[in-house]
Amino acid sequence: SHKPNLPVILWLHPFTPSHGYVAAYRRSEQSFLQMAAQGYAVFCYDQIGCGRRIEEVEGFYDRYPRWSLLGKMVRDAQAALDVIGTLKYADPDRIWVAGYGLGAMVGLHLCALDDRPAGLAAVCGPPPFRLDTGDASGGGIRRWSHDLMILPRLGFFVGEEKRVPYDVPLLLACAAPRPALVVSPQLDREAAVAQIG
């Protein structure tokens, strides 16, 4: 019998409606290809509202008035973990989540709610909600509730960000003691480094 031995990375892409699971900034080889070249099995799929699934968001809140697109994205990521768990060559104890931009937002929530990932790498993720005011460089939490409409109830706290009932540091705490790498570039257009630190 063959023992599973490959570590797996669940790659959660940024908000890219026309590209699916590509890197946000193409300066070199795609990140998921680099991960595969390093010996990881990499699981990729289009998140709802992106790539081949762009039309699935039409009428989403009419069909599911109590859901959020972010919740659907997290549930889809859990379904991906279900599939990864059936792969004979995959080591179920070494499933890592890597997300960029929107993917980092999904990955943070996934790892807070699901114990299966061994750890998380979040690149260009969301700034803490309570610090992400309308004066912020990325437009504040309004971008998640109104602009991208992935977390509509966050809109109740626009202008009252200090009252947001949960925040990015709490998501990281819920994922502990598993390792987490948070990468926040100095030139991220949506998150000022001062907010992340």
Side-chain angles (χ1 to χ4, degrees):
S1 98
H2 178 56
K3 183 175 174 164
N5 59 0
L6 275 179
V8 181
I9 295 177
L10 172 58
W11 168 244
L12 300 171
H13 63 77
F15 184 75
T16 49
S18 60
H19 314 118
Y21 50 80
V22 299
Y25 305 111
R26 293 191 68 170
R27 293 201 175 129
S28 63
E29 188 174 45
Q30 296 295 333
S31 54
F32 56 89
L33 293 174
Q34 291 175 347
M35 293 174 208
Q38 294 297 315
Y40 293 91
V42 183
F43 192 99
C44 306
Y45 66 95
D46 287 333
Q47 295 185 80
I48 188 170
C50 299
R52 291 186 181 101
R53 296 181 65 194
I54 194 166
E55 293 180 0
E56 288 182 45
V57 296
E58 186 176 337
F60 179 85
Y61 289 109
D62 292 331
R63 292 189 312 272
Y64 308 105
R66 294 177 179 229
W67 286 22
S68 70
L69 281 169
L70 178 63
K72 173 64 172 148
M73 291 173 183
V74 171
R75 182 60 196 107
D76 287 349
Q78 288 178 312
L81 292 174
D82 293 342
V83 171
I84 293 168
T86 68
L87 301 175
K88 292 180 181 177
Y89 55 84
D91 184 342
D93 295 325
R94 294 191 297 161
I95 300 171
W96 301 85
V97 174
Y100 189 108
L102 173 63
M105 170 82 115
V106 174
L108 285 162
H109 285 81
L110 173 65
C111 288
L113 297 170
D114 199 304
D115 292 334
R116 291 177 287 178
L120 166 71
V123 180
C124 293
F129 300 141
R130 293 177 184 147
L131 301 177
D132 198 10
T133 65
D135 300 333
S137 62
I141 60 173
R142 181 180 181 86
R143 77 174 153 281
W144 305 114
S145 61
H146 291 68
D147 299 342
L148 300 174
M149 294 179 50
I150 68 165
L151 198 52
R153 291 185 182 183
L154 201 55
F156 292 131
F157 302 97
V158 171
E160 298 185 40
E161 288 80 3
K162 299 265 187 240
R163 294 186 51 237
V164 174
Y166 79 103
D167 212 340
V168 173
L170 181 58
L171 293 171
L172 285 166
C174 288
R178 294 169 289 170
L181 171 66
V182 176
V183 178
S184 185
Q186 288 184 339
L187 299 178
D188 185 347
R189 70 175 184 240
E190 294 183 359
V193 171
Q195 291 175 312
I196 305 298

